[in-house]
Amino acid sequence: MTSSVRAKMAQTEKEKKVAKREAMSSSETVTEMVRARSDKGHYISDDPSTPENEAWVEKPKKKAAPKKKASAKKKAASKS
């Protein structure tokens, strides 16, 4: 009986991992609204005579890079 319980637990964990992986690798691109900039890096103002707002543009959001762990420091040999 314990083997069937373990098998069920393993199956549910596997399904969770697969669902999480599919959610992470979905083809949906996340965008955010940012201020439009000129070639020199200055903000572009909105032209009130047009219906579109030129001051803001959609830009794809960058994925956060995983943080690197600090390496362990080596201990210096003591001279006694």
Side-chain angles (χ1 to χ4, degrees):
M1 184 168 159
T2 57
S3 63
S4 64
V5 172
R6 280 190 181 171
K8 287 179 184 178
M9 288 176 58
Q11 183 65 26
T12 56
E13 288 298 317
K14 187 175 181 181
E15 290 172 359
K16 286 180 186 178
K17 286 182 181 180
V18 169
K20 186 177 179 182
R21 190 177 310 130
E22 288 176 355
M24 297 276 293
S25 66
S26 65
S27 63
E28 297 175 12
T29 57
V30 179
T31 59
E32 61 182 341
M33 295 296 288
V34 295
R35 285 293 305 262
R37 294 183 179 262
S38 67
D39 294 335
K40 294 182 178 181
H42 299 288
Y43 290 129
I44 297 175
S45 62
D46 180 34
D47 184 8
S49 63
T50 59
E52 186 179 334
N53 188 354
E54 294 87 12
W56 292 89
V57 294
E58 280 191 31
K59 196 172 190 181
K61 196 170 190 177
K62 295 181 182 177
K63 292 184 179 179
K67 294 182 179 180
K68 295 183 180 178
K69 294 183 180 179
S71 60
K73 295 182 179 180
K74 296 182 180 179
K75 294 183 180 180
S78 62
K79 297 179 183 179
S80 299

